[in-house]
Amino acid sequence: MKFPWSRDDRPVGLDELEPISVVDIGSNSVRLVVYEGAIRSPAPLFNEKVLCGLGRTVASTGKLDADAVERAIEALRRFHAINRVLSVKNVRVIATAAVREAANGPEFIARGEEAIGARIAVLSGAREAELAAMGTLMGIPNANGIAGDLGGGSLELIDVASAKSTASATLPLGGLRLIDTSGNKLDKAIEIVDASLAELPWLSAGEGRTFYAVGGTWRSLARLHMDLRKYPLRVMHGYSIESRACIDFCDSIRRAKKIADIRGIEDIARPRREVLPYGALVLERLLRRMKPKEVVFSVFGVREGLVFSLLSPAERERDPLLAYCEDHARLHSRSLAHARELCTWTDAVFSEPGPRESAEEQRLRHAACLLSDVGWRAHPDHRGEQSLNIVAHAGLGGIDHEGRIFLALTVYFRHVGTGRVSGAEDELPTALKSLVSRRTLKRARILGAAIRSAHMLSIGRPGIIDETPLTYEGGKLVLTLPPTHRDLDGERLRRRFEVLAQLVDQRPEIRYS
């Protein structure tokens, strides 16, 4: 079966992709990310960041800080060497607010291009906002709200809806810039932020929608919020906070007497800590004015937007979650063909009179099927836990945290077993289970049991389960085995199939055709 998200001509290994290097020269950090290639969900091959603080004094002096310039040039030389070691030919270098606005920006560009061995494109504020929107859409394809990318020098805001961007703006509200313009006084910074936001009446269009927070400072705030909640899934992308709760949290960060006393601050890089109160201030004032329903944090930003802009129209249309899962299955499962067969075979389990599912739930089920065998090389005693950890913390896009946990629970149950008779589910960390609805947990148990039965029948090889259909008949869940596969019947298969049937409130029957 040909799936809309599948692509048969996808290169088999990393050696057959052409890596892309993106160097982002920001007002606070200079970062290199080398992606595996121009595909819908590229994995980073290498990622390095140097917090240089180029924009620290641009507002007051009009120039890039001299010491910061030297650190940035040194970082660019190293990045050039890394690109050479990785044989990267496609190198894209961008510079943002600090370089764009500084009087000595052209001089820095000349030195920087020599150091990195490539042309440096200085982005306009409008282009930076556009790439931030494209990056958000790369990771959250159905994004509907306002995206904000907070850097050291500026804040880019753009309305994103139905995969299109409309209103946008660039404001001088980056953390380092606010420290400079306010004289490092938070009360003064509030006035500056409020005055800038007041010039954007279109922000009211964000009321009741989602605000997508992009940028290292805001991700650091999300990390601190996770520490405060003792949140067990330490994944930034897709982490969400209800708007009122986020306002209160940001207010507490801004009013903290000592940054060192904030819970979890030891996990935040020291050069990042000084801008945290200002990043919290900007987010708080923005949320008060915009009144969104929630804040969702995105690790996809300008760099990912640049990669997205290089994709073909057909590649852009691929589902980022399913594209990632298929690529992951191709590289780490015993058989991609079998994983695809699971998608079709389990369709029957979730058809009438079985559990109903929405289009989004079907999409997540197919993703779980694709990832169901990625832990096969682990020791049998630990496959469940290791598979759960791999999937829960994978670099997935196009998915929220509940969906991510559903995938992780499914592959966990696929290995350790589940159902009314096993008791194995009691081993699952209670914290993860508490983050999802009862419906999601039940669906994970059912799908895990279905995949567990399928693997016992097919031995993980393609060409078997597509010839052994599942059907519902008169209160029974029926598995039909043709003559060629009758000898695969056995006690362990029947036990696993019985668990599956019980989970969908049916009696099990294995029938020979």
Side-chain angles (χ1 to χ4, degrees):
M1 179 179 179
K2 176 68 174 179
F3 294 98
W5 36 263
S6 181
R7 197 179 82 183
D8 292 332
D9 63 345
R10 166 75 162 84
V12 173
L14 295 178
D15 291 342
E16 298 180 48
L17 288 172
E18 181 183 348
I20 298 175
S21 172
V22 177
V23 179
D24 182 1
I25 304 172
S27 299
N28 195 18
S29 65
V30 178
R31 184 188 288 268
L32 164 72
V33 184
V34 181
Y35 298 94
E36 60 179 331
I39 55 176
R40 185 61 181 82
S41 295
L45 298 176
F46 188 84
N47 188 334
E48 183 171 315
K49 173 184 65 179
V50 180
L51 291 167
C52 298
L54 277 173
R56 180 177 299 277
T57 60
V58 169
S60 58
T61 69
K63 293 184 177 181
L64 301 172
D65 180 80
D67 290 339
V69 165
E70 297 309 315
R71 291 192 67 198
I73 295 298
E74 182 180 349
L76 292 176
R77 288 196 188 100
R78 171 171 162 78
F79 294 169
H80 182 38
I82 291 170
N83 286 331
R84 184 176 65 250
V85 169
L86 294 176
S87 300
V88 181
K89 298 178 181 178
N90 190 351
V91 179
R92 307 294 176 115
V93 190
I94 56 175
T96 54
V99 176
R100 181 171 66 234
E101 298 170 5
N104 57 343
E107 177 185 341
F108 172 81
I109 292 295
R111 292 185 62 194
E113 290 181 339
E114 181 180 0
I116 192 62
R119 189 180 73 84
I120 298 176
V122 181
L123 302 182
S124 66
R127 179 58 175 166
E128 193 174 349
E130 180 183 10
L131 289 180
M134 295 179 78
T136 301
L137 291 169
M138 188 174 193
I140 309 173
N142 296 320
N144 185 346
I146 293 177
D149 187 349
L150 183 68
S154 63
L155 167 66
E156 277 65 49
L157 293 166
I158 188 162
D159 192 312
V160 180
S162 302
K164 296 180 181 179
S165 58
T166 52
S168 66
T170 296
L171 302 175
L173 301 180
L176 288 178
R177 190 181 187 104
L178 278 176
I179 291 174
D180 194 12
T181 56
S182 69
N184 203 11
K185 297 186 181 301
L186 284 166
D187 290 342
K188 176 64 175 176
I190 291 176
E191 298 176 8
I192 296 171
V193 172
D194 285 347
S196 291
L197 296 178
E199 298 177 2
L200 304 179
W202 57 266
L203 287 179
S204 60
E207 183 171 358
R209 296 162 72 196
T210 297
F211 178 70
Y212 301 97
V214 181
T217 299
W218 282 345
R219 287 195 297 273
S220 295
L221 288 174
R223 185 181 298 276
L224 293 177
H225 191 264
M226 287 180 174
D227 277 323
L228 180 67
R229 288 179 59 190
K230 298 181 180 179
Y231 190 76
L233 183 60
R234 303 308 292 264
V235 174
M236 294 297 115
H237 188 67
Y239 182 66
S240 63
I241 311 175
E242 186 271 331
S243 185
R244 180 69 254 178
C246 193
I247 289 173
D248 292 342
F249 174 70
C250 288
D251 189 57
S252 70
I253 296 295
R254 177 171 64 85
R255 296 178 183 276
K257 292 183 179 180
K258 293 183 179 180
I259 290 292
D261 294 337
I262 297 174
R263 181 188 178 102
I265 194 66
E266 63 277 1
D267 295 329
I268 307 301
R270 288 187 179 277
R272 179 78 70 187
R273 296 177 193 178
E274 67 172 326
V275 299
L276 279 178
Y278 292 89
L281 184 157
V282 172
L283 185 55
E284 173 205 338
R285 307 310 289 184
L286 186 59
L287 296 180
R288 290 185 188 278
R289 179 170 294 273
M290 191 187 309
K291 300 178 182 178
K293 64 179 180 180
E294 64 178 346
V295 179
V296 172
F297 294 87
S298 172
V299 302
F300 293 78
V302 170
R303 291 179 295 275
E304 290 73 23
L306 179 59
V307 174
F308 191 72
S309 72
L310 302 176
L311 302 183
S312 67
E315 190 69 16
R316 289 190 191 188
E317 290 300 314
R318 294 183 74 205
D319 184 306
L321 172 64
L322 295 172
Y324 178 95
C325 292
E326 187 175 61
D327 290 345
H328 202 73
R330 180 181 281 105
L331 291 170
H332 301 292
S333 297
R334 283 173 288 187
S335 170
L336 174 60
H338 183 263
R340 289 171 174 168
E341 288 177 359
L342 282 172
C343 297
T344 303
W345 194 75
T346 58
D347 283 345
V349 178
F350 292 87
S351 63
E352 292 288 349
R356 297 182 179 181
E357 64 180 1
S358 65
E360 176 61 16
E361 287 173 332
Q362 181 191 62
R363 172 178 176 264
L364 292 174
R365 173 168 57 81
H366 287 172
C369 288
L370 291 169
L371 294 175
S372 62
D373 199 37
V374 296
W376 73 274
R377 288 183 179 273
H379 188 281
D381 292 345
H382 307 292
R383 282 178 187 156
E385 292 82 357
Q386 291 198 21
S387 295
L388 181 144
N389 190 54
I390 289 170
V391 174
H393 299 93
L396 305 172
I399 192 171
D400 60 15
H401 274 213
E402 175 143 347
R404 179 184 289 271
I405 295 171
F406 167 77
L407 302 186
L409 291 176
T410 297
V411 297
Y412 178 84
F413 288 138
R414 167 260 192 272
H415 287 290
V416 305
T418 184
R420 298 172 183 168
V421 297
S422 71
E425 62 189 3
D426 294 334
E427 301 173 8
L428 186 69
T430 302
L432 273 185
K433 290 197 296 183
S434 69
L435 297 179
V436 298
S437 67
R438 292 177 63 184
R439 175 184 174 88
T440 295
L441 182 58
K442 179 68 178 292
R443 283 177 49 79
R445 294 168 67 203
I446 293 171
L447 182 56
I451 296 171
R452 189 170 171 81
S453 298
H455 274 271
M456 184 54 62
L457 174 62
S458 66
I459 324 301
R461 303 307 301 166
I464 296 176
I465 60 173
D466 61 347
E467 297 178 355
T468 57
L470 290 171
T471 54
Y472 287 102
E473 298 179 21
K476 296 179 181 180
L477 179 64
V478 179
L479 172 62
T480 301
L481 302 181
T484 52
H485 301 317
R486 285 181 186 177
D487 288 345
L488 290 172
D489 191 6
E491 182 180 329
R492 293 191 68 191
L493 171 62
R494 288 179 176 267
R495 286 204 305 266
R496 292 188 179 189
F497 188 64
E498 181 181 3
V499 171
L500 172 61
Q502 288 179 343
L503 284 168
V504 294
D505 299 317
Q506 302 288 310
R507 300 187 307 276
E509 179 181 333
I510 295 181
R511 179 184 302 169
Y512 296 161
S513 62

